[in-house]
Amino acid sequence: MLNNIKIGTRLTIGFATLLVLLALISVLSLINMGTMNDSTEMVTERYYPQTVMANEIRRNVNVTARSLRNIVMLSDETEIKNEQARIEEATKLIDEAFIELDKVTKSESGRKLIANVTEARKAYQVDQREAIRLAVGNHQKQAVSFLLNQMRSSQNQYFQAIEDIITHVSNRVEESGDAARNAYENARTFILSLTVIAILLSIAIAVMVTRSITKPLAEALYYTNTMAEGDL
């Protein structure tokens, strides 16, 4: 079939085939690079800030819990006021962290977890105010009992809700990492496979085009020599 095609056309077909393969390799590479980029952006722009904010909330809840415990144990008014100031500062930082966490949380499951934390926080803050009221009112025994019983429950629920967010984000980070890793492995497999195919096709096309050119030339040369020798 190639014998009926002009030499220039044969070469064009061969090079065009190679160009198509190279273009296919490039397209597949770009697609998989896009997947890796999306996974990386998801981690850096969403999940990492979520982790930072969730841990900031947890850290300041711990500050609040320690200061609240100190208020119940202390009797000096100045020291009690200092601890109340720490609670107010921690509360302010928690509010700011919640605002940032809300901004970067897009998924339905993530927003549900934030709602759970918000509800747990409301219950905890009610108990927090009651514990402070008892302590400031010199009802130390009642304050200690309240802190160790009723408030322990609301505090545990609050901490658990925060831990649920941290666990959720950690799982999403792992999923994004797996997606990026799979995209890389797929890209590597595709590129290596297509590269091998391109090399083999290049060799095959080169051989076919060369033979389709040299064979007719060899035959023409043979008949020319035959005619020159007078063997018609």
Side-chain angles (χ1 to χ4, degrees), residues 177-195:
D178 290 340
R181 188 160 42 252
N182 290 336
Y184 163 75
E185 291 176 354
N186 289 336
R188 182 182 61 182
T189 301
F190 278 126
I191 292 171
L192 288 176
S193 299
L194 289 178
T195 299

Side-chain angles (χ1 to χ4, degrees), residues 66-84 86 134-140 143-144:
R66 287 194 298 269
S67 293
L68 192 57
R69 177 203 61 195
N70 293 341
I71 288 173
V72 171
M73 296 173 60
L74 293 170
S75 57
D76 184 82
E77 291 186 6
T78 301
E79 292 180 344
I80 289 175
K81 288 181 179 179
N82 289 337
E83 295 299 335
Q84 286 179 304
R86 290 192 182 95
L134 291 171
V136 174
N138 293 320
H139 302 294
Q140 252 68 30
V144 170

